[in-house]
Amino acid sequence: MKNFTKRVTALVLAVSMMFASASIVHANVAEDMMLLPLRTIFEDAGASVDWVDGVAVIVMPNGDEWVFTPGAYAATLNSYDVPLSTPITVTNGVARISIVDLALFYTEGKVDFNISFPYQSQAADTEPLGELAVTTATAMATAPAFMEAVGVTGLTMAIVDTQTGFTWTHGFGYADSVGGLPVDEHTLFQVGSTSKPFTAIAIMQLVEQGLIDLDTPLVHYIPEFSMLPSPVLGGDSDDVTVRMLLTNTAGIPGNKLYGWLITGEEQYHGHMNNLLEWLPTRDLVFPPGMAFDYSNNGWTLLSILVARVMGYDNYFEGFTAHANETIFAPLGMERSTFEFTPGLTNVSMAYTTLGVQDVMHTVSPIGAGGLLSSAHDMAIFMHAIGSGEALLSQEALGYMKQTHSVMAPGVIDYGLGFLRMFVGDLELVGHGGNITHFHTEMLIDQETGLGVFVSTNTISGILIASALAITVMETAITEKTGIAPALLPPPGQDATDGALALSEEELIALAAFEGLYHFGESGIWEMTIIDGTLTWSNGGITFELTPLPDGTFDSIAGNYSFELVDGEPTVTHTNGGEQFTTTRIDAGDDDAFAPPEGFSDWVGVYVFKPQVTNEAALVLQLIVGVNALGNPVITIIQPIHTYIGLSEAPLVEYNGNWIVGTMPVIFIVDEDGNRSIDILGGLFVMVD
């Protein structure tokens, strides 16, 4: 126990340096992963970083030597192997390391910095004793260090053991820093997509009652549901089933602006009823059942389905009432709600950075991400999920936690509303959530019955919610079992010698794959070989693919593999949010990346124009123009770029449609000659 406590102490001292420069790092963020620049992280920690024969050699202030090889699933520390959950990625000359791996290094005591950033808890300062005392002590010390390092104003946490009934909850920092309101175990946080397990449970309760069948098409229950085929891949919305919605394989677009973020009660209540009028004007991303693609709109449809089956005309009121009656009330989750009303008390404010409050956004697709809950209530929920009591049969809960679709092979599977995450030999179930300012992680280890819930109220919390939850989980498992979990690479993926050079024969074979490919909502990309290097471009962004020994190719955007399927060039793209396989497409005689006819008339600045009451968007402006290569692009100006995707989005022509990603761009001129653009489900008007 002494050595274990020493490791915990080392973690507390070191963890702040782990994120020393994280607040100034800008990168697209997958929901459960962040990659940070390797050199910046270690140089800010006082280490020297050199590249020798293609590998990074890092010497720490205490003399320890790390060696990181791009593409390898292990690093070395003083010549001993240290497994990595995510290989080092090098793109455009910048090497990046997973924030999860950094957290695990510190948890295991592999780095020792003599630096501390005190950040006192604003809630009760009781000394944790008894069951899981080391774990709770770790949480009490580590959470403030994480918060201080990245500038998080408030954080709430719950730790449970569903096998023994143990519960520990605590609040850190402020819910309202201006009013002096501290976070406590009852403070409500917006938990974002951690709402989805609740919506899935509501569906499965109706399945057990015989009112819904998972494999019945949605139109059987909601006849007016329809969507247009994908302009690229086709598909029939009549084929969408309830199971496809639960597993994110329905082909429903997931990242539209319409109704996504709102600030007022009227629109908040009306969106679910309006959605069925809006979807028939929009396109599927791909044919139903073809692939995994995370879709919040699909989960809104599941919320509507619950209300419709239960006989409600107002879907918002119906779904919220049903959740209260069948989930929250039976469990005693007295503060949890899907309805954000002005009368709610002890609700965390939203923060852009430490102590700086912002306008509170809420998620309109209620069942997708509209839940407000507390550490106290989420502890109750984790007990229910672990024990299988009060909500569903053990059989149904077990079925929900099985793999039903794949997000990232060997890393993340998707059940029915639950993520299944593989960290070495750990198999965790749960779900994270990100909504502008609020970032959440819920993890349950089914073997030990341990559960951890973490939620933050500041934009930078996206850097620490998952890492902190995994850190606390590893500590809890070690304390309960006496055995530290082996955080090994995924099965079958051994450490490698890194990137390889392509032979002339390999380049000739890969030349057969040059051309255009369509990857879900990320749009149409072109693969070309330039000076012996595979290059991906979508007109606005270009990056290189690095060959790995297993025959796949690595990049900052994910992993790619190439094969001929029935003679057709086929590419599979895998990253933390999806796995998508598609064949090469024919763009016809036109240049897919050339400006459309009359494009110059549309060059200019556009601002968002709400179409329904209190509709809001994170996008501040659109700038339509051409990039340095002469390609048409729409630059998205927004305070938080990670929630829409690329800041510069290419306009691509395909089969007579102009699209961004998979979504058509509709050019509109009214009777007065005013120009506007319908894009991503929102309307933007040209300004002088």
Side-chain angles (χ1 to χ4, degrees):
M1 182 64 73
K2 246 184 214 183
N3 289 336
F4 183 71
T5 306
K6 185 177 179 182
R7 290 199 300 116
V8 170
T9 304
L11 166 64
V12 174
L13 296 176
V15 72
S16 56
M17 285 306 300
M18 165 181 161
F19 300 106
S21 62
S23 59
I24 60 170
V25 174
H26 298 283
N28 283 336
V29 181
E31 184 163 286
D32 293 295
M33 181 184 296
M34 182 68 177
L35 299 176
L36 299 178
L38 183 71
R39 177 183 291 276
T40 301
I41 290 297
F42 280 93
E43 285 187 346
D44 281 0
S48 66
V49 181
D50 293 300
W51 284 86
V52 181
D53 296 329
V55 301
V57 179
I58 299 174
V59 179
M60 303 299 295
N62 64 0
D64 285 343
E65 182 178 275
W66 287 87
V67 177
F68 292 96
T69 302
Y73 275 88
T76 62
L77 173 58
N78 300 328
S79 300
Y80 291 95
D81 283 345
V82 177
L84 301 176
S85 67
T86 304
I88 300 298
T89 298
V90 180
T91 302
N92 298 329
V94 178
R96 293 179 171 85
I97 186 170
S98 165
I99 197 170
V100 173
D101 284 322
L102 287 171
L104 295 176
F105 291 166
Y106 297 128
T107 302
E108 295 174 350
K110 290 186 170 63
V111 179
D112 187 11
F113 294 111
N114 188 27
I115 295 177
S116 176
F117 289 86
Y119 187 99
Q120 297 301 316
S121 166
Q122 300 301 316
D125 251 342
T126 55
E127 182 71 20
L129 299 170
E131 187 176 347
L132 294 181
V134 173
T135 300
T136 52
T138 301
M140 289 287 289
T142 307
F146 273 59
M147 294 168 67
E148 183 74 17
V150 300
V152 167
T153 306
L155 181 148
T156 193
M157 184 187 300
I159 303 170
V160 303
D161 186 334
T162 64
Q163 295 176 355
T164 66
F166 171 81
T167 298
W168 179 87
T169 56
H170 201 76
F172 302 84
Y174 287 99
D176 182 352
S177 59
V178 176
L181 178 67
V183 175
D184 62 31
E185 65 171 355
H186 297 293
T187 303
L188 291 177
F189 280 62
Q190 295 187 49
V191 300
S193 289
T194 308
S195 308
K196 290 179 171 65
F198 292 85
T199 303
I201 286 170
I203 290 287
M204 292 302 292
Q205 287 173 335
L206 297 177
V207 169
E208 287 202 312
Q209 296 169 30
L211 299 177
I212 291 177
D213 180 83
L214 292 179
D215 296 310
T216 294
L218 184 63
V219 291
H220 174 77
Y221 304 103
I222 308 176
E224 64 270 39
F225 165 71
S226 69
M227 294 191 69
L228 300 171
S230 162
V232 179
L233 302 172
D236 189 340
S237 62
D238 285 354
D239 295 333
V240 171
T241 66
V242 178
R243 185 189 300 275
M244 291 176 188
L245 294 173
L246 285 167
T247 57
N248 294 296
T249 58
I252 306 294
N255 295 314
K256 306 285 190 169
L257 290 178
Y258 175 78
W260 181 41
L261 290 173
I262 54 82
T263 56
E265 189 173 345
E266 183 177 345
Q267 164 60 4
Y268 187 59
H269 283 237
H271 169 70
M272 290 175 69
N273 281 52
N274 297 338
L275 183 65
L276 290 176
E277 299 175 7
W278 179 77
L279 284 174
T281 69
R282 303 294 158 168
D283 305 312
L284 290 168
V285 178
F286 50 75
M290 176 180 178
F292 180 98
D293 200 45
Y294 196 81
S295 174
N296 282 322
N297 283 327
W299 285 87
T300 305
L301 284 171
L302 288 168
S303 310
I304 293 171
L305 175 60
V306 169
R308 176 68 70 89
V309 169
M310 297 308 297
Y312 290 95
D313 293 327
N314 185 301
Y315 303 139
F316 174 89
E317 293 177 359
F319 179 75
T320 55
H322 186 78
N324 290 337
E325 294 168 5
T326 63
I327 300 176
F328 302 144
L331 291 180
M333 298 175 67
E334 297 179 355
R335 299 261 304 146
S336 296
T337 179
F338 277 101
E339 186 170 7
F340 193 178
T341 62
L344 286 176
T345 59
N346 196 6
V347 179
S348 176
M349 302 298 292
Y351 295 86
T352 57
T353 188
L354 184 64
V356 180
Q357 289 186 4
D358 198 9
V359 174
M360 180 80 79
H361 293 140
T362 55
V363 173
S364 189
I366 309 302
L371 177 65
L372 291 95
S373 193
S374 65
H376 174 274
D377 283 6
M378 290 303 298
I380 294 174
F381 182 68
M382 288 189 291
H383 276 295
I385 295 302
S387 64
E389 297 173 355
L391 294 173
L392 289 166
S393 67
Q394 292 264 12
E395 181 181 7
L397 272 175
Y399 186 67
M400 293 176 70
K401 291 182 280 189
Q402 296 175 12
T403 295
H404 292 270
S405 57
V406 177
M407 290 182 68
V411 181
I412 305 174
D413 292 349
Y414 209 88
L416 300 180
F418 286 96
L419 290 169
R420 298 187 67 232
M421 291 155 279
F422 304 94
V423 182
D425 58 3
L426 295 182
E427 296 185 10
L428 307 173
V429 298
H431 211 297
N434 298 300
I435 166 179
T436 314
H437 311 88
F438 293 86
H439 305 285
T440 300
E441 187 65 85
M442 177 185 68
L443 301 173
I444 299 170
D445 178 52
Q446 296 189 87
E447 184 173 344
T448 62
L450 294 165
V452 178
F453 166 81
V454 173
S455 191
T456 67
N457 64 7
T458 310
I459 289 174
S460 57
I462 196 169
L463 297 169
I464 67 171
S466 294
L468 180 57
I470 291 174
T471 297
V472 173
M473 176 64 79
E474 193 268 354
T475 305
I477 292 172
T478 303
E479 183 176 9
K480 180 174 181 177
T481 66
I483 302 172
L487 304 174
L488 301 173
Q493 293 180 302
D494 300 322
T496 70
D497 292 326
L500 302 176
L502 292 172
S503 67
E504 184 175 348
E505 291 77 12
E506 288 171 322
L507 286 171
I508 292 173
L510 287 167
F513 292 87
E514 289 188 296
L516 299 176
Y517 296 84
H518 190 274
F519 290 99
E521 291 196 23
S522 66
I524 294 177
W525 290 74
E526 183 174 21
M527 195 279 270
T528 56
I529 298 176
I530 301 175
D531 296 331
T533 299
L534 272 65
T535 302
W536 280 106
S537 172
N538 65 358
I541 294 292
T542 299
F543 57 85
E544 298 177 352
L545 300 186
T546 302
L548 299 178
D550 63 1
T552 66
F553 292 79
D554 195 28
S555 78
I556 192 63
N559 181 270
Y560 293 81
S561 61
F562 301 85
E563 66 175 322
L564 293 174
V565 178
D566 296 329
E568 295 290 334
T570 303
V571 177
T572 297
H573 172 224
T574 302
N575 66 17
E578 67 176 5
Q579 181 185 39
F580 204 99
T581 299
T582 186
T583 55
R584 187 170 60 192
I585 59 176
D586 181 5
D589 296 330
D590 297 326
D591 183 348
F593 296 117
E597 184 178 352
F599 182 74
S600 60
D601 294 335
W602 295 90
V603 171
V605 178
Y606 295 75
V607 296
F608 179 69
K609 181 180 180 181
Q611 296 301 289
V612 290
T613 304
N614 294 318
E615 183 182 11
L618 287 178
V619 175
L620 303 178
Q621 291 181 340
L622 299 178
I623 301 176
V624 177
V626 295
N627 62 12
L629 301 176
N631 301 319
V633 294
I634 294 181
T635 301
I636 301 172
I637 308 299
Q638 54 176 333
I640 314 164
H641 67 280
T642 57
Y643 290 88
I644 302 296
L646 302 174
S647 59
E648 186 180 84
L651 269 168
V652 181
E653 185 179 21
Y654 181 75
N655 283 349
N657 297 288
W658 284 91
I659 64 175
V660 169
T662 62
M663 294 158 281
V665 179
I666 303 171
F667 299 95
I668 303 168
V669 181
D670 66 18
E671 57 186 14
D672 297 322
N674 299 313
R675 296 179 182 273
S676 58
I677 295 176
D678 184 324
I679 177 177
L680 298 166
L683 188 68
F684 294 81
V685 179
M686 180 182 278
V687 295
D688 295 332

